[in-house]
Amino acid sequence: MTYLPDLDRFHVIMVASSCVIVALAVVLHYEVLSRLHRFLDVTKMGERPRILTLIFVLLFTHIAEIWLFGLSAFFLLQMPEQGGIVGLESITLFETIYLSATTYTTLGYGDLTPTGHIRFLYGTESLTGLVLVTWSASLTFIELQRQWQGRRRHP
């Protein structure tokens, strides 16, 4: 006998919402990194401003993605059928942003725990955060490598 879970409309809403949110975060990340890379290719800034621009743009992009997940969780949790967060008396926007930040970065303090269907969103956020942070690190490495190779050629 095969076991298939009973899928109700709240499961479907959560899976569909999570897929859309992940897609938005990935597209946002791609667009920012693409434009940032083109900007760094043509800018005449010195090394320090180039690297600082890169790092600040990447940090603010990650913060925007954390807010995207946190806002989404806040709105999804307005439906009690989607679950809740253990450790909170009431669900507030800034608490969902905080949980989003600890999930996206895979830090996970453990003081707040999602329950119910919302766990799917937080699980996909963790994977998405890991991939997007790694992607940012790769771009940072490429830019630093370009700077260091330029130093060797032009002492």
Side-chain angles (χ1 to χ4, degrees):
M1 183 160 123
T2 328
Y3 173 75
L4 293 174
D6 294 329
L7 293 178
D8 59 26
R9 69 185 179 104
F10 297 106
H11 285 102
V12 174
I13 290 170
M14 186 56 62
V15 171
S17 299
S18 296
C19 290
V20 168
I21 296 160
V22 167
L24 287 172
V26 170
V27 168
L28 171 66
H29 208 78
Y30 173 81
E31 292 300 330
V32 169
L33 266 62
S34 176
R35 284 174 171 78
L36 179 61
H37 186 67
R38 280 194 304 261
F39 171 76
L40 293 173
D41 276 347
V42 299
T43 188
K44 303 291 185 205
M45 287 192 293
E47 178 181 335
R48 180 170 285 137
R50 287 173 68 89
I51 299 304
L52 289 173
T53 299
L54 171 76
I55 297 302
F56 280 118
V57 169
L58 292 175
L59 282 172
F60 286 123
T61 303
H62 287 292
I63 290 168
E65 292 156 358
I66 288 166
W67 272 79
L68 173 66
F69 278 98
L71 282 165
S72 301
F74 178 74
F75 288 114
L76 287 166
L77 287 168
Q78 300 309 303
M79 292 181 276
E81 298 86 358
Q82 293 297 11
I85 300 175
V86 173
L88 292 179
E89 290 182 25
S90 65
I91 294 170
T92 66
L93 175 61
F94 286 102
E95 295 294 348
T96 60
I97 300 296
Y98 164 77
L99 182 55
S100 180
T102 61
T103 302
Y104 183 94
T105 60
T106 67
L107 180 60
Y109 285 121
D111 54 340
L112 301 179
T113 307
T115 62
H117 301 326
I118 198 73
R119 292 176 301 166
F120 187 77
L121 175 65
Y122 283 107
T124 57
E125 179 181 8
S126 181
L127 176 61
T128 304
L130 178 66
V131 169
L132 298 183
V133 167
T134 304
W135 193 359
S136 293
S138 297
L139 179 63
T140 302
F141 174 78
I142 289 167
E143 183 60 28
L144 288 171
Q145 188 176 41
R146 184 185 315 174
Q147 294 295 322
W148 295 331
Q149 286 175 348
R151 278 188 193 168
R152 277 189 237 140
R153 285 190 207 123
H154 304 85

